[in-house]
Amino acid sequence: MVIYFLAVAVHLLAASAATVTYNWNITWVTANPDGQQDRPVIGINGQWPLPVLNFTKGDRVIAHVHNALGNESTSLHWHGFFQNGTNHMDGPPATTQCEISPGTTFTYDFTVDQTGTYWYHSHTRGQYPDGLRQILTIQDPEDPYTGHYDEERVLTLSDWYYDQMPSLLQGFINVLNPTGAEPVPNAALMNDTQNLTIPVEPGKTYLFRVANVGAFASQYFWIEGHSMKIVEVDGVWTKPAEADMIYVASAQRYSFLVTMKNDTSKNYPIVGSMDTDLFDKIPPTLNFNVTSWLVYDDSAQKPDPSQIDEFQPFDDFTLVPVDGIEQYEAADHTITLDVKMDNLGNGANYAFFNDISYVMPKVPTLYSVLTTGSAATNPVVYGTDTNPFVLQKDEIVDIILNNDDTGKHPFHLHGHNFQVLARPSDDSGHYDPNNHTSFPAVPMRRDTLIVYPSSNFIIRFKANNPGVWLFHCHIEWHMDSGLTATMVEAPLELQKTLSIPKDHLEACDASGTLRAGNAAGNTKNFEDLTGANRMVSPLPEGFTGRGIVALVFSCIAAVLGLASIIWYGLAPITQTPAQS
Ligand SMILES: *[C@@H]1O[C@H](CO)[C@@H](O)[C@H](O)[C@H]1NC(C)=O
Ligand SMILES: *[C@@H]1O[C@H](CO)[C@@H](O)[C@H](O)[C@H]1NC(C)=O
Ligand SMILES: *[C@@H]1O[C@H](CO)[C@@H](O)[C@H](O)[C@H]1NC(C)=O
Ligand SMILES: *[C@@H]1O[C@H](CO)[C@@H](O)[C@H](O)[C@H]1NC(C)=O
Ligand SMILES: *[C@@H]1O[C@H](CO)[C@@H](O)[C@H](O)[C@H]1NC(C)=O
Ligand SMILES: *[C@@H]1O[C@H](CO)[C@@H](O)[C@H](O)[C@H]1NC(C)=O
Ligand SMILES: *[C@@H]1O[C@H](CO)[C@@H](O)[C@H](O)[C@H]1NC(C)=O
Ligand SMILES: *[C@@H]1O[C@H](CO)[C@@H](O)[C@H](O)[C@H]1NC(C)=O
Ligand SMILES: *[C@@H]1O[C@H](CO)[C@@H](O)[C@H](O)[C@H]1NC(C)=O
Ligand SMILES: [Cu+2]
């Protein structure tokens, strides 16, 4: 009898869980989301904006990704997915796979065991802001807010550049940009457009799912005349929290309920405003705002948004998860990461954790785990410049992050969400274990968290997901200038449980990437890192970023001076009539 019921239960479960298969052809298409100019963007099956995916918990996803870009490699990361048991489907090249070379196909195959709002994006260096990113949702059969809303709507926020990432990156990490000023976006977008109209019905409640899929800029977000009831953050259902304005950093997601008015005479602006504190200078022509409208009556006016004097967004630290998961017990393992921005010996500006600016290993770190036997527990194997940390299975881990930079940064951990124990305000300096606010009994959890300028945070998670998981700033510029660490979680467990499919190994061969041995590709002596990729050498002692700026400007002056001397020197000669 029991077995019969079990069988029925298993059958019902199997019936609701679908297999969702995609055949995706990644190609260049043309887009013009802000109406100013066409530019090439990366599309899927000839389409951009990319398809919004809508899974149900328990679904199996099979995505066959064919790279038809011709001139760039690619990859896909499923942002926020735990990939529990399928670490090799996580997406970052040089970490859990090799790049998908032009002309080749690579299959992602995994089961979705979470719920909420997520997104998918390229994890190839600098690529996703060129278009390869979109929001996705996972329906929860046990949605705690069922009955509290009538319909759901997805909405993305992003920043937009007219130039393509490879050339922007070349200018960003460059001796001519010694202060590391990030390229300022050309426009703000909402749902990959502007002036979007969202028809609504009076009296209905909508669940809005918002994701910032941008490269750089956080956005303040609000809806005039309506308050938002936050119910989800980064895939975690929260107790309802009223907010008039939220702050959505790159890679963060929020869901909130909005109840419509009964009065249909007016329409209301929905505003996204890029956080210009992140920009070194604001070009006078930049409109850093984007507007959409809740449209009750299409024939009524769509008013301009009112000016806001001060941004006072909701503090995500105060959110409480519906599941009531309490603060995990004290940490077994504490990792401290000090963040700074500085120049290296080539004069360009880089980003550092503990004075190391991340450089990709020659062998994807997961493949090093699988091919180095018992040495896999030794962080040395993964190379010094990948910032590797080896975690024991099921231990409790604290990450203390001290931000020695004067900017805000959204940090993302792959493979987990984490409890946020403390996240003090601007200028709080380093975390002091002997002097901090008491930690919440039921901390909020998310997978992407802002640290404030010259301040810190402390987050806690359980190492219950064997895999190699990156921890990095989600500002694409900072990720590309090295603000990344590598968590190698339960490597010996991975060796017992994971096997890499043939098409993944073939991706290494096609891209000429080594797939065995330590970070340097040494398959005999795992502690010998000769030939490993290294970061650019530091500046000689005594040099400072300020010195570099002075040096660059005097060099430019010298070059200009020299050029004019040459020009004057050459001029008479070229003008001398030929003797015959
Ligand atoms: C992908 O799209 C390109 C450009 O439209 C086309 O030439 C190619 O045949 C497509 N490949 C596949 C596998 O669909
Ligand atoms: C949206 O409207 C503003 C104000 O009229 C305009 O400047 C902008 O170009 C519009 N954007 C698009 C994509 O049409
Ligand atoms: C996703 O599908 C469910 C039905 O399975 C539907 O209720 C929901 O509105 C869809 N969400 C989106 C964003 O399309
Ligand atoms: C690849 O080709 C596309 C389409 O022609 C072009 O826009 C893009 O700049 C190229 N990428 C690189 C890295 O050259
Ligand atoms: C946002 O865009 C996606 C597709 O690009 C669409 O499915 C969705 O309905 C749009 N959201 C709103 C609120 O219009
Ligand atoms: C709209 O009307 C309904 C039914 O009369 C009422 O229950 C509800 O409170 C009203 N909503 C608002 C926002 O006034
Ligand atoms: C953008 O919105 C903010 C907040 O209302 C306002 O202060 C600012 O002037 C707006 N900027 C532009 C360029 O319209
Ligand atoms: C403890 O931290 C608070 C807040 O940052 C600070 O004002 C205070 O001076 C600190 N106390 C000690 C003893 O360091
Ligand atoms: C991964 O799966 C294992 C085994 O089912 C479970 O114990 C663990 O909690 C899961 N980890 C995460 C992050 O979901
Ligand atoms: Cu950053």
Side-chain angles (χ1 to χ4, degrees):
M1 200 57 174
V2 171
I3 288 182
Y4 170 76
F5 278 120
L6 264 178
V8 169
V10 167
H11 182 80
L12 284 177
L13 212 71
S16 65
T19 297
V20 191
T21 305
Y22 299 108
N23 285 294
W24 279 346
N25 191 7
I26 313 283
T27 61
W28 293 101
V29 298
T30 300
N32 181 4
D34 73 339
Q36 297 302 309
Q37 61 182 78
D38 282 347
R39 56 151 288 180
V41 298
I42 299 175
I44 292 182
N45 298 342
Q47 180 191 338
W48 195 93
L50 302 185
V52 174
L53 313 181
N54 187 5
F55 304 134
T56 300
K57 184 179 180 181
D59 283 354
R60 177 174 172 193
V61 177
I62 303 176
H64 303 293
V65 178
H66 179 71
N67 177 2
L69 293 174
N71 59 356
E72 293 183 17
S73 298
T74 194
S75 59
L76 284 184
H77 169 55
W78 311 82
H79 185 112
F81 285 34
F82 297 156
Q83 297 289 6
N84 197 345
T86 48
N87 180 221
H88 52 306
M89 301 299 174
D90 192 45
T95 304
T96 60
Q97 67 168 82
C98 292
E99 290 277 3
I100 311 174
S101 298
T104 67
T105 304
F106 184 102
T107 299
Y108 294 93
D109 180 349
F110 52 86
T111 298
V112 179
D113 60 1
Q114 294 159 263
T115 65
T117 310
Y118 299 84
W119 60 303
Y120 65 99
H121 65 83
S122 167
H123 219 290
T124 293
R125 183 181 173 80
Q127 193 173 58
Y128 83 76
D130 279 340
L132 193 44
R133 79 283 186 290
Q134 186 56 292
I135 191 170
L136 73 85
T137 62
I138 313 174
Q139 302 295 316
D140 186 351
E142 289 158 24
D143 177 348
Y145 290 97
T146 300
H148 293 256
Y149 60 93
D150 300 291
E151 290 180 39
E152 66 175 72
R153 295 284 183 269
V154 294
L155 203 57
T156 62
L157 303 173
S158 63
D159 44 18
W160 192 248
Y161 292 91
Y162 297 148
D163 292 330
Q164 294 177 41
M165 289 299 285
S167 66
L168 287 172
L169 266 174
Q170 218 165 46
F172 170 59
I173 305 177
N174 196 301
V175 64
L176 295 177
N177 183 30
T179 60
E182 298 84 1
V184 175
N186 299 99
L189 301 180
M190 205 181 282
N191 228 33
D192 288 329
T193 186
Q194 296 175 333
N195 309 320
L196 173 73
T197 53
I198 305 176
V200 293
E201 289 180 43
K204 273 195 173 176
T205 298
Y206 293 84
L207 175 73
F208 281 92
R209 297 171 172 277
V210 170
N212 185 331
V213 301
F216 177 27
S218 304
Q219 287 195 32
Y220 296 97
F221 176 95
W222 67 97
I223 306 177
E224 286 188 11
H226 297 71
S227 82
M228 301 176 269
K229 194 182 279 178
I230 299 170
V231 294
E232 182 226 321
V233 60
D234 294 358
V236 178
W237 289 116
T238 65
K239 293 193 175 161
E242 292 287 337
D244 291 326
M245 179 187 283
I246 54 175
Y247 183 89
V248 193
S250 175
Q252 292 187 321
R253 292 91 63 207
Y254 284 91
S255 287
F256 47 83
L257 303 174
V258 185
T259 298
M260 298 306 128
K261 298 178 187 297
N262 290 331
D263 173 3
T264 60
S265 63
K266 277 165 63 180
N267 301 320
Y268 294 85
I270 304 174
V271 191
S273 186
M274 294 196 289
D275 178 0
T276 55
D277 286 357
L278 300 167
F279 305 158
D280 280 41
K281 61 169 192 278
I282 308 170
T285 55
L286 174 67
N287 179 5
F288 49 87
N289 300 324
V290 57
T291 308
S292 302
W293 285 273
L294 285 183
V295 177
Y296 287 82
D297 176 358
D298 198 35
S299 65
Q301 200 204 350
K302 299 184 185 72
D304 284 339
S306 311
Q307 293 270 324
I308 298 246
D309 298 328
E310 206 186 345
F311 295 109
Q312 284 178 313
F314 178 86
D315 180 4
D316 58 336
F317 183 74
T318 61
L319 290 168
V320 180
V322 164
D323 57 32
I325 293 180
E326 290 176 9
Q327 186 195 126
Y328 304 135
E329 55 271 39
D332 304 300
H333 187 166
T334 298
I335 294 168
T336 302
L337 297 172
D338 294 347
V339 174
K340 77 166 183 195
M341 308 293 192
D342 203 357
N343 301 85
L344 286 176
N346 61 0
N349 196 276
Y350 290 84
F352 304 78
F353 278 137
N354 301 343
D355 296 323
I356 302 276
S357 180
Y358 176 92
V359 176
M360 285 182 181
K362 284 188 169 167
V363 175
T365 305
L366 174 62
Y367 297 174
S368 289
V369 167
L370 299 178
T371 56
T372 53
S374 59
T377 56
N378 182 354
V380 164
V381 163
Y382 307 109
T384 51
D385 296 0
T386 56
N387 269 314
F389 296 89
V390 175
L391 310 180
Q392 307 290 320
K393 187 168 187 308
D394 294 327
E395 69 180 354
I396 304 289
V397 182
D398 278 0
I399 296 179
I400 296 172
L401 184 132
N402 296 314
N403 180 13
D404 291 329
D405 181 62
T406 53
K408 301 167 194 154
H409 301 269
F411 283 98
H412 171 47
L413 176 62
H414 289 224
H416 292 274
N417 51 41
F418 44 75
Q419 297 185 329
V420 183
L421 302 184
R423 197 266 308 269
S425 55
D426 295 21
D427 301 316
S428 296
H430 280 211
Y431 174 74
D432 178 353
N434 299 314
N435 181 21
H436 60 76
T437 54
S438 65
F439 299 155
V442 180
M444 77 101 156
R445 300 197 310 281
R446 64 184 314 167
D447 62 46
T448 308
L449 178 71
I450 279 274
V451 68
Y452 293 126
S454 308
S455 188
N456 65 75
F457 65 54
I458 173 165
I459 59 177
R460 181 170 289 178
F461 65 98
K462 237 179 228 180
N464 58 4
N465 189 10
V468 179
W469 309 113
L470 292 181
F471 177 75
H472 63 89
C473 178
H474 220 293
I475 290 177
E476 188 60 31
W477 306 115
H478 300 165
M479 164 113 188
D480 295 336
S481 62
L483 205 43
T484 298
T486 311
M487 304 292 148
V488 180
E489 186 171 328
L492 300 183
E493 196 66 20
L494 279 169
Q495 290 177 357
K496 280 187 265 174
T497 53
L498 214 62
S499 65
I500 304 299
K502 197 161 145 279
D503 64 312
H504 287 211
L505 299 176
E506 285 168 358
C508 304
D509 302 338
S511 59
T513 312
L514 302 174
R515 53 176 162 87
N518 67 11
N522 193 323
T523 54
K524 299 203 169 63
N525 181 352
F526 300 134
E527 287 181 21
D528 178 2
L529 289 167
T530 311
N533 295 335
R534 297 300 309 271
M535 65 185 208
V536 173
S537 313
L539 281 171
E541 241 356 92
F543 260 85
T544 61
R546 216 177 277 273
I548 290 282
V549 178
L551 193 71
V552 165
F553 284 106
S554 61
C555 285
I556 292 174
V559 167
L560 288 178
L562 201 64
S564 58
I565 290 166
I566 291 170
W567 189 77
Y568 282 117
L570 287 178
I573 298 172
T574 53
Q575 278 164 16
T576 307
Q579 310 275 317
S580 56

